[in-house]
Amino acid sequence: MSSILISGGIVITMDPDRRIIKNGGVFVQNDEISEVGKASEIRNTAELKIKAEGMIVLPGLVDIHVHLAQALIRGCADDASLIDWLQKYVWPLQGNFDLEDGKTSAELCMLEMIKSGTTTFLESNLSARYGFDGIAESLDASGMRGVLSRTVMGLPSYGGQKGIMHPGMIEDPETCLHEVEAHHKRWNGKANGRISVWYGARSLGGCTPELYRRISEGAKKLDTGVTMHLGEVQEDVQFAKREYGKKPVEFMNDAGLVRKKVVFAHGVWFTEDEWQILAKKGASVAHCPCSNMKLASGIARVPEMIRAGVNVGLGCDGGPSNNCYDLIREMKWASLLQKVRLLDPLTMKAHTVLEMATVNGANALGMQDEIGSIETGKKADLILLSLKHPHLTPIYNPVSHLAYSAEGSDVETVIVNGKIIMENRQVKTLDEKKILQQAEYRGFRLLERTGISISPNGLES
Ligand SMILES: [Zn+2]
C-alpha cells in the first residue's frame, strides 16, 4: 500500500465538467486516484505529501503519434519533402540501425517525453531491427505507459513509388504478422498494464489490400488496435483513387480498418465524407501540426473534423520531422496553425488543444476509462508543472498558459500508475547521463555506417 497527497496546486481535472480547482488536492492510493477536490477537504493521510503551491496539476499528456526510433536521427533530415526525406535520409539511417541503436533511440525519446510531461504514447512503426523486446524492456523500466506497434508491411513502396524502401527496412509480411502475435502474447498488459501491443500497418502502397484485411482480422482476434499513416500528403489520395478508385478512408473502411482503437496519423487530406466515416465508426486521427508544417505536407482541417464528430488527438511524430517530442509545444502549433489558416483567432481555443493532448488522446487509445483526466478511479498518471517562471507569471488563466506560454521543461514532477518517475526534473527510472552518452556515440557511428554526412551549417557540401 502506498499513498501520495498532492495539495495546494491548481488542479486542471479535464473531467466531464472540466473543473479547475484552486488550492486543489489529489489523493493517490497505489496506482489509482482515490480523491479529487479542495485540498482542505481531503481528510486522508498519505505516506508521501507533495506540496504543489505555484504549480499546475494536470493529467499526464497522451501523445498518439511517436516514432521512438527517430530520436537518434534528429537533425539528419531537415528541409526535404516527405518522399525524399524518407528515401534519402530516414529509411537509409533506420535501415542501418542495430538493436542497441533501437534501444538507445527509444530511451532517448522516452527521456524527452517524461521531461516534457508525456506519460502515455503510441509508437507507430517498430521494425524488427530496432529490437522490440529491448524497447519493451526499456518502456517497462521507464515507468511510462505506452502502446508499441509492430510494423506490418508487404511491399517496399510508398504510394505509387515502387521499391523505394531501403533494403534494411524491408520485411516479409508473414514474419511481421507472426511477430505482432508473438509480441502481443509476451508483452500486452505487462508492466502492471502499462504496455500494450498494436499492429502498425505501413501506409498506402506498403501493404496489399489483402494484407490490410488480414491486419484487421488479426487485430479483432487479439482485441487490439491498429495505427498507420494515412492522408499525410496529396500523393496518398491520388494513389488510393488511381489504384482502388476510392478515397483513403473509404478504402481502409472496406478493408475493415476503420473502427475504435484505430489511429490514423496525419489525415491532412481527408475530406468531409471521410470525416463522416471516421466519426461514425469511432476511429481517431493523430494531428501532427509541427511535422506537417516542416515537411510542408499541408494543413489538416482540424476544427472542421472535430465539428464533424471525429476524435482528434495530438502527435509529435518524429525526431527528423518535428524535431522534438514536446507535446506542450505541439499544443501551441495546433492552435496557431488553424487560426492563421482560417484567419479566425476564435478557432482552436486553448481548451480545445488541451483536450486533444489529454482526453482525446486517451479516447483514441481506448483508454478513456483509465487515463486522460484527473478523476476518482482513474490511473494516477499526473504531472506537476511549475508556474514560477517569468513566462508563466502572473497566472490569470492556467489553460491559456498551458497552451500558449508553457514549454515541456516547465514540468517538474511526473507520476505514472501512482509512481513518481520524475521529481524536481530528475528522472528516477532511466539513467539520463548514460543515455545521452550512448546517443552521442551511437548516433555518429550510425551516420558513418550509413554514409551520410551532415554539414554543421546545414548547407550541402
Ligand atoms: Zn509518423
Side-chain angles (χ1 to χ4, degrees):
M1 292 285 277
S2 65
S3 56
I4 306 173
L5 174 63
I6 303 162
S7 65
I10 302 170
V11 179
I12 301 181
T13 62
M14 300 310 289
D15 69 7
D17 298 328
R18 302 291 187 255
R19 279 186 308 154
I20 295 177
I21 309 166
K22 284 188 180 170
N23 291 318
V26 182
F27 192 85
V28 172
Q29 185 88 41
N30 298 326
D31 61 346
E32 280 187 5
I33 296 163
S34 68
E35 229 182 316
V36 186
K38 282 275 183 198
S40 56
E41 289 163 6
I42 294 181
R43 297 274 167 241
N44 270 320
T45 46
E47 287 160 47
L48 181 70
K49 289 181 183 163
I50 299 178
K51 287 193 189 319
E53 282 88 5
M55 300 221 184
I56 287 175
V57 183
L58 191 70
L61 304 178
V62 184
D63 188 330
I64 59 169
H65 187 63
V66 172
H67 295 273
L68 294 173
Q70 290 184 358
L72 202 59
I73 58 172
R74 184 195 326 257
C76 294
D78 298 328
D79 312 325
S81 67
L82 180 71
I83 304 297
D84 266 5
W85 179 87
L86 284 169
Q87 198 180 354
K88 287 189 187 163
Y89 305 103
V90 173
W91 283 339
L93 284 161
Q94 292 190 314
N96 273 287
F97 262 53
D98 63 24
L99 300 182
E100 280 305 309
D101 295 331
K103 193 172 175 70
T104 301
S105 186
E107 289 180 350
L108 184 66
C109 187
M110 289 181 216
L111 202 52
E112 187 179 352
M113 286 193 280
I114 294 170
K115 296 197 87 172
S116 52
T118 292
T119 52
T120 298
F121 65 87
L122 168 59
E123 149 64 56
S124 75
N125 277 112
L126 286 181
S127 301
R129 65 177 318 119
Y130 312 148
F132 193 100
D133 286 339
I135 290 174
E137 281 161 15
S138 296
L139 171 55
D140 183 0
S142 76
M144 294 184 81
R145 193 181 301 284
V147 180
L148 301 176
S149 304
R150 167 62 166 105
T151 296
V152 180
M153 66 170 291
L155 306 161
S157 309
Y158 186 103
Q161 310 206 37
K162 308 243 186 277
I164 63 166
M165 195 173 274
H166 185 272
M169 296 291 290
I170 299 172
E171 297 185 277
D172 160 66
E174 299 305 325
T175 309
C176 296
L177 289 168
H178 170 75
E179 286 204 357
V180 180
E181 290 197 13
H183 294 320
H184 187 273
K185 190 171 174 193
R186 177 150 190 212
W187 289 105
N188 193 64
K190 293 291 156 60
N192 297 318
R194 288 185 289 108
I195 300 179
S196 308
V197 177
W198 282 22
Y199 286 77
R202 274 263 176 232
S203 49
L204 288 182
C207 295
T208 60
E210 170 60 18
L211 188 53
Y212 286 124
R213 273 190 286 276
R214 288 181 65 191
I215 292 169
S216 168
E217 283 156 21
K220 266 187 199 156
K221 194 179 87 185
L222 296 179
D223 189 23
T224 193
V226 182
T227 189
M228 68 180 285
H229 297 72
L230 196 68
E232 181 173 1
V233 288
Q234 276 175 305
E235 284 90 328
D236 287 351
V237 182
Q238 291 154 3
F239 174 80
K241 282 196 178 156
R242 195 174 59 242
E243 290 288 314
Y244 311 124
K246 289 169 194 159
K247 292 180 180 177
V249 173
E250 292 169 344
F251 169 72
M252 297 316 300
N253 193 33
D254 288 351
L257 272 174
V258 182
R259 58 179 192 242
K260 284 190 191 300
K261 283 199 351 192
V262 169
V263 176
F264 294 118
H266 303 293
V268 172
W269 296 98
F270 291 168
T271 56
E272 287 80 349
D273 37 355
E274 291 175 289
W275 303 337
Q276 299 300 329
I277 301 171
L278 295 170
K280 191 167 160 233
K281 298 290 186 76
S284 298
V285 170
H287 175 47
C288 309
C290 191
S291 170
N292 296 157
M293 283 192 271
K294 185 158 181 274
L295 288 164
S297 305
I299 308 177
R301 290 182 283 160
V302 176
E304 294 92 328
M305 254 195 276
I306 292 174
R307 220 174 299 132
V310 182
N311 181 57
V312 186
L314 273 183
C316 286
D317 206 355
S321 70
N322 187 305
N323 295 1
C324 59
Y325 297 87
D326 177 348
L327 207 65
I328 292 179
R329 284 200 232 177
E330 206 70 22
M331 287 197 278
K332 184 168 180 173
W333 297 119
S335 172
L336 302 197
L337 181 58
Q338 300 301 325
K339 290 180 192 296
V340 74
R341 174 177 74 88
L342 295 165
L343 299 177
D344 178 8
L346 304 182
T347 200
M348 288 289 273
K349 296 188 170 96
H351 218 282
T352 305
V353 290
L354 186 57
E355 284 176 344
M356 291 169 74
T358 54
V359 281
N360 294 11
N363 195 16
L365 303 179
M367 297 182 186
Q368 63 279 358
D369 297 331
E370 294 170 85
I371 59 166
S373 60
I374 304 180
E375 291 180 76
T376 304
K378 281 202 171 180
K379 295 291 177 194
D381 290 10
L382 305 158
I383 60 174
L384 276 72
L385 185 140
S386 171
L387 294 164
K388 293 169 199 151
H389 299 287
H391 63 283
L392 299 173
T393 306
I395 175 89
Y396 306 116
N397 172 350
V399 176
S400 160
H401 272 14
L402 280 173
Y404 301 132
S405 311
E407 49 196 50
S409 55
D410 299 326
V411 176
E412 295 267 321
T413 298
V414 176
I415 299 171
V416 179
N417 244 12
K419 289 216 160 54
I420 300 172
I421 65 170
M422 182 172 83
E423 192 172 21
N424 300 323
R425 294 209 53 73
Q426 296 300 310
V427 177
K428 298 170 80 159
T429 49
L430 297 172
D431 185 340
E432 180 166 357
K433 195 173 161 202
K434 191 171 151 209
I435 293 167
L436 298 188
Q437 277 170 351
Q438 271 292 307
E440 189 78 20
Y441 167 70
R442 303 207 77 86
F444 278 99
R445 274 194 44 182
L446 174 69
L447 281 184
E448 211 175 282
R449 213 158 56 234
T450 312
I452 287 180
S453 63
I454 306 293
S455 133
N457 59 13
L459 300 170
E460 300 280 334
S461 52

